[in-house]
Amino acid sequence: MILKKRIPNARGKRCMESMGWLIAAGKDEGEITLLHPFSGVQIQLPHPNTTKGYNCQLTADPWTFFHETVLSASPSKTSDYVLMVIEANNKYLSFWRPGDLRWTRIMKEDNPALHRDVVYFNGKFYAVQWLVHVLVRDVTGADPMAQKVARLPLDQIGDEVESLGSLFVVARHGGLSKSRIPMTPIPNDYEVYDDEVLGSDEQLTFETRYFRVYKLDIAAGKLTETKELGDRAIFLGANASLSVQASQFPGIKPNCIYFTDDRYDIYGYYQSE
């Protein structure tokens, strides 16, 4: 079903989704709100400049300061919820609770940054760091803590997804290749590659080539690779990952991964053709 609806308060903003709410970031000043797309209810969030070291961590545009957003519960149902975000150039984890006047960053002496994905599962936030660990983040106390749960193979960069009561890490493998197709005109504010690297009729193509899926055993601290998702279908994209029970949605195939091919920022880690 497709519903066409105007959402005036989302106009001109970058929107991320969690629990049916939009996290809407303004393009010019970076102001950010929680917005319910149907009721129109808005909840003002602290400005990104309330995060630690904001001026040293600026992204290219104010509205891209937050990379990913995940709610622990829907604000439509309770006022006892946490909004977790991956933020800034170094991809720290920060969170906000209703009533807070600023974002609280989760710091940890052993590599606190470079978070790739985060998901809320069984009352806790689980995060994946680039090339390193799966961690559990506990934000219930006054001093937010982080604990390592498992370690990814060294050549993996993963997304995290909760599915039918289990937690999975999906590692995406991609690469760079040169495509001999007509060059699309490039805007003046984009980086242009030297013709010595790319010929005038070539351009770089970033592409996903395959996935590896790991099931997380939290108690044992172990990731086990699997090729069987059963009736699950996993969706990966720019914001939070999710899964559905395929048999409940006509047209969705079981044991499949649906994705947007947008992870160009990690493909440079792999060999070019």
Side-chain angles (χ1 to χ4, degrees), residues 1-29:
M1 178 184 294
I2 298 174
L3 172 65
K4 293 184 179 181
K5 178 178 174 60
R6 292 185 180 274
I7 310 175
N9 291 326
R11 185 178 178 86
K13 296 182 179 180
R14 172 173 172 255
C15 294
M16 297 165 280
E17 184 276 339
S18 183
M19 296 281 182
W21 285 70
L22 300 178
I23 296 84
K27 183 174 183 179
D28 297 324
E29 300 299 328

Side-chain angles (χ1 to χ4, degrees), residues 131-134 148-154 216 221-223:
L131 300 172
V132 192
H133 299 102
V134 179
K148 295 177 183 177
V149 176
R151 186 180 182 93
L152 286 165
L154 291 179
L216 174 62
K222 184 180 179 181
L223 287 165

Side-chain angles (χ1 to χ4, degrees), residues 168-171 211-215 224-226 229 234 257:
F168 293 85
V169 176
V170 183
F211 294 93
R212 298 178 72 175
V213 180
Y214 300 85
K215 187 174 182 180
T224 303
E225 187 171 3
T226 179
L229 296 176
I234 291 176
I257 296 174

Side-chain angles (χ1 to χ4, degrees), residues 102-113:
R102 61 186 303 112
W103 296 94
T104 300
R105 181 175 292 167
I106 298 177
M107 295 300 295
K108 184 173 176 292
E109 292 183 1
D110 181 16
N111 194 10

Side-chain angles (χ1 to χ4, degrees), residues 118-130:
V118 61
V119 67
Y120 188 73
F121 178 69
N122 284 352
K124 294 180 180 180
F125 289 95
Y126 289 82
V128 176
Q129 285 180 312
W130 284 45

